[in-house]
Structure formats: C-alpha cells, structure tokens
Amino acid sequence: MNRANNTQAHTLALLLVILLALLNLSGNAQPTDSTALVRRALQNREDTAKTRRPLRYLLRKTDDHRDATKDIIETAQGDVARLIAINNQPLTAGANQAELDRLNTLANHPEIQERRHQREQKDAARVNRLMRLLPDAFLYRDQGTTPCPASGGTCHHLTFSPNPSFEPPDVEANIFRGLAGELWIDQAQERLTRLDAHVIANVDFGWGILGKLDKGGTIQLEQSDVGNHDWELTALKLNLKGKALMLKSLDIQLTEQATHFSQVPPGVDYRKAIQLLENSGATDGR
C-alpha cells in the first residue's frame, strides 16, 4: 500500500473510531441527561467487551475500485478473512486458488498474523483514548421519541454537535470540532440503531501535513441486534472528500454491509479459523 493509500486508510479509521464510539450509546436512564448517558455508555462498552465472544460474518465492501465480499472470523490472535466474491459473483478458479495459497502462507508464517494483531491492538488503544474524550467533545440534545428509521420500533432521537468549550488534547482530536448529526436509540433495548453525521467544518490531521477532511461530507451507520442482544455494526456509507499529504485528493465513496453473523466456537485460534475458511468453500452461501 502506498503512502497516499495509507493516509486514506488512517483518515477513514479515525472517522470510524469516533462514530463507532457513538454507536455504543446505551444505558438504563432516560436520555434527558445526554452527556451522563454517553459517559455510562462508554463504561458499558468496556464492560461488554470483556465478555464479548468472537463472531463470524460476511462483509461486502464497495468502493471506487471494486465490490468485494469476505468471510471473516474473529480470533484472540486477530481477525482472519477469506475473499469469496467479486462484484457479488463467486471467484474464478484462479482467484480462488490464489486466496487459498494466501491463507496457507498465513498459516505457515505466524509472524505475519502477529504483526497484524499488534496493529489491531494499537488501533484499539487509540480508539479507547479518543472515546474517553466523547462526553466532553460534543453537546448532546434529546429530541424526544420517534419511530426507529430501520426497525420500525420506538427510538429516542438525539442530536450532537461540537462543544465550543472543548479543547482537543492532540491533533487527532481536532476531528471532534468538525462533526455534527443525529442518532436514534432503540427504546426497548436502549441501543443505537442509526447515526447520520455531517462534516460541518474543514478538519486538519497532523497540522495539515497528513491530510485534511473537507466540509460537506456525510456518514451513515446502522447497528442491529444480530442475536442474543448482541449489537453489531451492520451498515456503513461514507461520502468524504479532502486532501492526503496535502497533495493528493482524498475521495472516499464507500459502502459496507455485514450479514450472516454467528458465534465462533470456543477454542478457535487463527490457524483453526484458516482451516474453517478453507473448508467452507467460496460458494457455500455463507
């Protein structure tokens, strides 16, 4: 991956950090004290993460370059994925063999998976650091109850906007100054079902050296109960523009959809996950 693509990936990752944090809004009190609700939600997220079991699911990702579907298995050693479709069509025999060869190489070289896992752990620490800023970074307002946009049930409707009193502790946190939007929390389970965010101001990353996100972008997220009251991100749509490395134009047009969630059996490490992916076949309909 070249430097421009790395910058684009980091910009996208940072946006997801913020928005996925908001997706974990839940609690046991009325959302009239919205800031307190967010504080409790962050603690609930950390508590839930301690007992969350790994999942297996399909992820279809469409951007300017291609439409790809992967079968993903989470493990304690990091995620493992197998490409199973391009443009919603099964892989050709050659492409499928190349994917099997890649998985075989991964199984024989645990250092590759370890490096990937270390990156995931660093990203998680970065996420947690930024998430702790959320209660102070935004102003949350309760807009009453309304039908949920996706499920049809009853939702609490909240809006959020930058807190003018918030002083970002570092350059990355500047992004909090440029986002505002709406979110809907399911009233029955008190979990967020949808978030619509807008980039309301230009945002620099790394003093403008790493990149800039332009005003006018949009983000849409949906979260669903995938079973046993386990809420996961199931839909994402990004429309974002800016600059990468202050030279290359940044244009992110991305849609993701996650489906077919199931719990991973106990004891599945990354090598066992590879075996499961290899044995499942690329056309078994998972």
Side-chain angles (χ1 to χ4, degrees):
M1 180 179 289
N2 60 34
R3 293 177 66 193
N5 285 338
N6 265 323
T7 300
Q8 190 177 76
H10 285 308
T11 301
L12 175 58
L14 185 56
L15 283 166
L16 292 179
V17 163
I18 298 163
L19 297 170
L20 287 173
L22 290 170
L23 276 172
N24 285 281
L25 288 173
S26 63
N28 297 318
Q30 293 298 317
T32 50
D33 188 352
S34 301
T35 300
L37 174 63
V38 173
R39 293 186 190 280
R40 289 193 300 273
L42 296 179
Q43 186 60 54
N44 290 340
R45 173 187 176 275
E46 292 184 9
D47 293 342
T48 302
K50 296 175 183 177
T51 58
R52 180 183 179 277
R53 289 181 56 182
L55 296 173
R56 181 176 183 175
Y57 58 96
L58 297 186
L59 181 66
R60 183 177 180 182
K61 177 179 177 180
T62 305
D63 57 24
D64 291 339
H65 302 291
R66 68 173 182 173
D67 177 345
T69 302
K70 292 183 178 182
D71 189 356
I72 300 175
I73 299 178
E74 300 172 340
T75 79
Q77 296 80 34
D79 296 352
V80 181
R82 177 181 180 179
L83 181 66
I84 62 172
I86 297 292
N87 296 325
N88 211 30
Q89 297 296 319
L91 300 184
T92 64
N96 186 53
Q97 186 58 53
E99 190 67 4
L100 291 173
D101 292 342
R102 183 190 65 81
L103 288 172
N104 184 61
T105 298
L106 183 62
N108 292 326
H109 293 275
E111 69 276 8
I112 298 176
Q113 183 68 19
E114 177 58 26
R115 287 195 297 269
R116 183 179 300 167
H117 187 216
Q118 289 177 356
R119 289 195 300 270
E120 291 176 355
Q121 289 179 315
K122 289 180 180 179
D123 289 343
R126 185 181 178 210
V127 167
N128 290 333
R129 178 179 60 80
L130 287 172
M131 290 175 86
R132 294 187 184 103
L133 301 176
L134 289 177
D136 298 318
F138 291 108
L139 299 177
Y140 302 90
R141 296 179 178 88
D142 181 11
Q143 303 296 321
T145 57
T146 185
C148 298
S151 67
T154 300
C155 273
H156 296 295
H157 182 200
L158 298 177
T159 59
F160 64 94
S161 59
N163 183 352
S165 300
F166 175 68
E167 293 294 336
D170 52 43
V171 176
E172 284 187 335
N174 279 337
I175 194 169
F176 292 117
R177 294 174 179 254
L179 291 179
E182 304 174 89
L183 52 88
W184 290 261
I185 302 174
D186 180 79
Q187 188 179 49
Q189 297 193 49
E190 295 188 320
R191 299 302 300 263
L192 188 138
T193 64
R194 180 170 172 139
L195 179 144
D196 291 346
H198 308 274
V199 183
I200 60 172
N202 296 339
V203 181
D204 289 332
F205 300 96
W207 307 109
I209 297 174
L210 296 180
K212 174 186 285 187
L213 198 62
D214 291 342
K215 177 181 178 179
T218 60
I219 305 106
Q220 292 182 343
L221 300 169
E222 289 186 4
Q223 186 174 244
S224 303
D225 183 349
V226 299
N228 298 317
H229 302 298
D230 185 2
W231 287 75
E232 298 292 335
L233 181 66
T234 51
L236 166 67
K237 187 174 183 179
L238 301 179
N239 176 15
L240 302 168
K241 296 182 184 297
K243 292 288 185 181
L245 301 174
M246 294 303 295
L247 296 173
K248 183 178 177 62
S249 294
L250 182 67
D251 189 351
I252 301 175
Q253 307 294 324
L254 172 70
T255 301
E256 290 187 355
Q257 184 175 15
T259 60
H260 294 77
F261 286 87
S262 62
Q263 287 193 340
V264 176
V268 173
D269 62 8
Y270 98 94
R271 281 197 174 94
K272 179 61 177 178
I274 290 174
Q275 294 175 3
L276 292 173
L277 291 172
E278 289 174 335
N279 294 334
S280 68
T283 59
D284 65 356
R286 260 200 53 82

